[in-house]
Amino acid sequence: MATDSVAGLVLAAGRGQRMRVDGDPTPKPLRPLAGRALVAHAPERLRPQVDTLLLNPPEDAAAWRAFGVPCVLDGAHAGCGPLAGLLAGLRAGVHRWVAAVPCDTPCLPADLVARLRAACTARPSARLAIARTADGLQPLCVLVDATLADDLDAWLAAGGRRVADWALRHDPAIAAFDDAQAFVNVNAPHELPTLARALAAA
């Protein structure tokens, strides 16, 4: 793992229904945060940590290609949640390892990938690492070996949806982080100001 290349994957294909309670049809990742789209922040944090960056949008439209990041779509498992996006990243064939993060976590640690890698290196048998804070596991902040793609495909085909349930089946390595605020995200429009303050303080 120490010398393997890593692809970064920003998961942005979720429906974000709770973000639309104010009647605004704008998809959650395209909502403004600190003068830019919400989805623009996570790639900025992740890019210096990985060898290649990918974006998993809900559709292959100009609004997403404008971010200048190669897109991978959910494919056959579209609508099945973030694991479908993770599978798309694993199937992209860019690098053996994929570091996935949700698009609504703009304060990600600058050493997120390094510490996930270290957790896997410390346990050579591990094919998956998850970030953990005092708030618990952060199951969408993961480093995954692409050799798990077939297993994940079968899990989704069998109706599996929860990221933590799938990840814990593989006895993941754990990377502990003290700063839970680095993983703060947003689920409703009224939370955007709080997220903006956290971003300014990061």
Side-chain angles (χ1 to χ4, degrees):
M1 164 89 255
T3 59
D4 286 335
S5 298
V6 176
L9 175 67
V10 178
L11 300 166
R15 296 177 181 178
Q17 296 291 353
R18 283 178 289 177
M19 289 295 289
R20 302 189 181 193
V21 295
D22 59 359
D24 186 341
T26 304
K28 173 181 175 177
L30 298 181
R31 289 291 185 106
L33 177 71
R36 293 185 293 163
L38 174 60
V39 72
H41 296 277
E44 186 175 83
R45 291 276 179 166
L46 192 58
R47 191 186 299 274
Q49 306 185 46
V50 297
D51 299 281
T52 304
L53 193 61
L54 301 170
L55 176 65
N56 167 235
E59 56 189 357
D60 186 19
W64 304 98
R65 294 195 299 272
F67 292 102
V69 179
C71 294
V72 291
L73 303 180
D74 285 355
H77 297 294
C80 294
L83 283 176
L86 177 58
L87 178 59
L90 298 178
R91 293 281 198 216
V94 178
H95 299 299
R96 174 174 172 178
W97 293 86
V98 174
V101 300
C103 72
D104 62 347
T105 50
C107 306
L108 290 168
D111 60 351
L112 172 65
V113 176
R115 291 170 68 174
L116 290 172
R117 287 172 67 116
C120 280
T121 300
R123 276 192 39 212
S125 62
R127 292 196 288 168
L128 191 153
I130 303 179
R132 183 182 65 197
T133 70
D135 294 335
L137 291 177
Q138 305 294 326
L140 287 181
C141 293
V142 292
L143 179 67
V144 184
D145 188 332
T147 61
L148 289 175
D150 287 345
D151 179 272
L152 179 52
D153 196 353
W155 172 265
L156 286 165
R161 296 293 180 266
R162 293 189 71 245
V163 180
D165 288 348
W166 176 75
L168 290 173
R169 293 174 65 243
H170 297 286
D171 188 23
I174 303 296
F177 291 83
D178 294 330
D179 185 9
Q181 278 295 103
F183 297 88
V184 66
N185 62 7
V186 60
N187 291 303
H190 71 270
E191 296 172 346
L192 283 167
T194 299
L195 194 59
R197 289 192 293 272
L199 180 61

